[in-house]
Amino acid sequence: MIIQDHMDLMEKLTILSDAAKYDAACTSSGVDKKNNGAGMGNSKACGICHSFAADGRCISLLKILFTNECIFNCQYCMNRSSNDVVRATFTPEEVCTLTMEFYRRNYIEGLFLSSGIIQNPDYTMMQLAETVMLLRTKYHFGGYIHLKGIPGASADIIEAAGWYADRMSVNLEFPTADGLKKLAPHKSRTTILTPMRQIQNGIQQNKLQIYHKRDEGNHWSHDISDAGSSFSLHQKRKTVIEKNGNQSAFPSNHHPTSINSTVNDFISLEDNQHSKNALLSTPSGSKQMFVPAGQSTQMIIGATPESDYHIVTIAEALYRQYSLKRVFYSAFVNVNQDNNLPAQPDGKGVPLLREHRLYQADWLMRYYGFQSNELLSEEKPNFNVFLDPKCDWAIRHLEQFPVEINRAGYYTLLRVPGIGVNSAKRIVKARQSAKLDFQDIKKMGVVLKRALFFITCQGRMMYNTPVEENFITNNLIGIDQRKLFDIEHHHSYQQLSLFDDYHMQQG
Amino acid sequence: MNTLQTTHIFQCDDTLDGILTAVYLAWQKGTSCTDIRVRNMNANFSFFEEIHDVATDLSLVERVTHSIETKLSADILFYIYRCALSYAPDKASVIYHYLQKAFRIGPSIVNYLHDETVMRVFELDRQIGTEAHKYLGFVRFEELENGVLASRINPKSNIIPLIADHFADRLHNENWIILDTVRQLAVVHQAGLGYVFTDHITEEQLLAFSKKSMNEESFQALWERFFHTIAIEPRRNDKLQRNMMPLRYRTYMGPENER
Ligand code: SF4
């Protein structure tokens, strides 16, 4: 290891932000938090982007590692112990200074602090906990903090940190025990899932505490908002949740498949005594709220051979069984040019399109009431490259179309390609006072060039197009791309770099 | 109807109060032959117009807002307030026609999205909302020697009134100023107290106010480094970056503005 003793802040920032840049994060916290009057900062439920990097990604947090002096040797990571890279470690005070000064200048919304494992998991977690405690108690920082939970760290240190962070996340990394063993030999499903369960229980227990305090007539100014919570109301209604909380039954139409049982074996965890009594004490000077913006996790996509179906099934199970707010995906980039891992001659990593499709599916599951097994199946385990998951679903369910804009229910409208949450809401409102036509709904944000195949307005289709699979498919993907579409059905996602600049666009 | 009938144009200040005064006066004259317009905003005059210059009159404003609040809703008043901040040249006329329809239909007017005027108000509101939201992130403060945090922006619409609360809450214990260099309008916040809006402040005045603080350069340099390091270079995507952060927002940003 190359460790330099006298390194200035600029060098450390360079190394430790470079090392953190593949982490996915987002501040749409779902929590509105006012300034408490004493310090600096607040946080917004809607998420604010402070800049956009040259790759087009939103910059909202100071995203850094605390250290890259890591004793673990994860194959996919440039900071693994066997690599010869320059190492650096911040002090807690340095992280505080950068956060405060960046925040004052409105460069950032808050801090995203992750870390390599220095000395051992407990020592590392302690450094992280100390940093966030300093930020909150000494610097009175009121902005957003996303803190990584270190796999294998003791429960009491994780808890101590959780009182000062808004969000915590423990990276799942890979969706199978085998993937972990091969690529992250020092991590295991138990060291990852245990803190995840502990944080989940802590959040639940804390909500109850707050609820009771309210009952006693205490003035509690914070509102725990469930906005942006992991599943839509629709989904909640559909999901039967057993009384004791953690384990939820799959809906009855969810036939167990072999993927489902693999997934369940992997992520279910026996509760031990430790994690059940998650919260020991509320430290003074903290916000008295434990991880109020909830928990998320991250998976690396494309380093291991799992199908999209496998991945969305894992994500769905994580949302249910660990009450996660978000599952993030990080398209694998072979930074080490390692032979054990998929080769990437162009240096670009897994096509962003795949990551993009997974996020679209995630969106459909969280806000549109879709279930993983509606989008994919064991027979059709990967997303269509040329059609977004919603178009793809609609084309496979043409018997449900066309739907009449002036009559169809809200959730039916949501399933129409080209109609999003906002436009569906507007339609439902506007049609109370008038019969809507194509031009009306276009102004309301409906993307007609996609929707027109699936809808009628006052009984008429826009162009009398046939509700027929080949016709619609051809039109939606464009004649030119059709050839590639055929190729795709025999090959994999790899040849799709031409779609790299395709970006988020929710229909 | 006589197509050569003269339209009476009530020309007003570029403020909500100005627009509402004009709404009152035009209404009095009769809605069929009147329209309103912000002074100096769009100048396609026609022969068949008679211009009336309107001096803002708060007692009239009071009457109009009172009827909006009682007969329509407080939300609609806020909606109109936001539209009045827009840069769109037709905003005064749109507000006028919107109110005419609203008083006919009632508070449910907000759902009449198939109506052209209602849709236009909706668009103006969305435009200004988007711009204000972008600036919550894109405002950049520099620390001056006297500890004041100073920022300049050049928004299309007059969004300063919409972002002031956010920063007053966030930077509660700081002295700060945000100057709209297009309108020479500033919001000035005093630590722990609150803020006021001040107009006729030029960019030169702000720059002459105080030197940058000793540490300012080094924090700008640290930010610049972070901004460059955090990008995944092989995935460079200038087009996406420009879509998300159009160049016009970057005038006073640091590394984002280098090109
Ligand atoms: S624990 Fe693994 S992924 Fe994290 S820094 Fe160390 S080697 Fe990299």
Side-chain angles (χ1 to χ4, degrees), chain A residues 65 70 72-74 76-77 79-81 115-117 173 187:
Chain A
L65 298 192
C70 190
F72 283 12
N73 202 29
C74 308
Y76 51 87
C77 174
N79 300 310
R80 61 183 184 181
S81 55
S115 186
I117 316 297
E173 313 291 15
K187 298 176 185 169

Side-chain angles (χ1 to χ4, degrees), chain A residues 334-352:
Chain A
N334 194 344
V335 286
N336 295 328
Q337 302 301 327
D338 201 299
N339 293 337
N340 292 337
L341 292 161
Q344 296 176 332
D346 62 352
K348 283 199 173 190
V350 169
L352 290 177

Side-chain angles (χ1 to χ4, degrees), chain A residues 453-464:
Chain A
F453 303 102
F454 304 97
I455 55 172
T456 58
C457 282
Q458 304 169 44
R460 272 186 322 106
M461 290 197 74
M462 195 165 167
Y463 299 126
N464 259 325

Side-chain angles (χ1 to χ4, degrees), chain A residues 286-464:
Chain A
S286 83
K287 308 165 270 92
Q288 324 229 334
M289 292 180 73
F290 188 80
V291 195
Q295 182 173 207
S296 63
T297 191
Q298 179 179 314
M299 274 187 274
I300 299 168
I301 301 306
T304 46
E306 290 79 25
S307 66
D308 292 343
Y309 182 45
H310 193 150
I311 290 162
V312 296
T313 310
I314 281 268
E316 193 175 46
L318 286 167
Y319 281 128
R320 292 219 179 109
Q321 298 190 30
Y322 290 83
S323 323
L324 296 190
K325 286 278 185 186
R326 284 297 304 272
V327 173
F328 289 103
Y329 302 109
S330 165
F332 172 62
V333 181
N334 194 344
V335 286
N336 295 328
Q337 302 301 327
D338 201 299
N339 293 337
N340 292 337
L341 292 161
Q344 296 176 332
D346 62 352
K348 283 199 173 190
V350 169
L352 290 177
L353 181 63
R354 187 175 180 203
E355 191 186 277
H356 175 62
R357 287 279 181 263
L358 286 165
Y359 277 128
Q360 285 179 317
D362 186 67
W363 199 266
L364 292 178
M365 295 197 312
R366 289 189 304 135
Y367 297 112
Y368 288 67
F370 281 89
Q371 287 176 17
S372 60
N373 62 347
E374 287 183 283
L375 300 172
L376 294 169
S377 63
E378 294 199 4
E379 295 72 46
K380 184 185 174 301
N382 289 311
F383 286 114
N384 192 320
V385 182
F386 294 97
L387 292 171
D388 65 67
K390 198 169 156 189
C391 284
D392 194 41
W393 175 85
I395 287 176
R396 286 183 286 114
H397 293 85
L398 286 179
E399 73 285 353
Q400 304 185 17
F401 296 102
V403 301
E404 168 57 42
I405 289 293
N406 290 290
R407 260 197 325 272
Y410 173 70
Y411 283 105
T412 309
L413 290 175
L414 274 186
R415 293 197 164 218
V416 176
I419 299 185
V421 171
N422 286 332
S423 43
K425 281 187 188 152
R426 284 173 203 145
I427 289 172
V428 171
K429 270 190 190 167
R431 71 187 181 188
Q432 293 169 1
S433 57
K435 286 254 172 281
L436 303 179
D437 215 329
F438 293 100
Q439 285 322 304
D440 300 326
I441 62 171
K442 185 174 181 186
K443 286 189 205 139
M444 292 171 205
V446 173
V447 186
L448 274 183
K449 68 173 191 251
R450 245 178 283 171
L452 71 92
F453 303 102
F454 304 97
I455 55 172
T456 58
C457 282
Q458 304 169 44
R460 272 186 322 106
M461 290 197 74
M462 195 165 167
Y463 299 126
N464 259 325

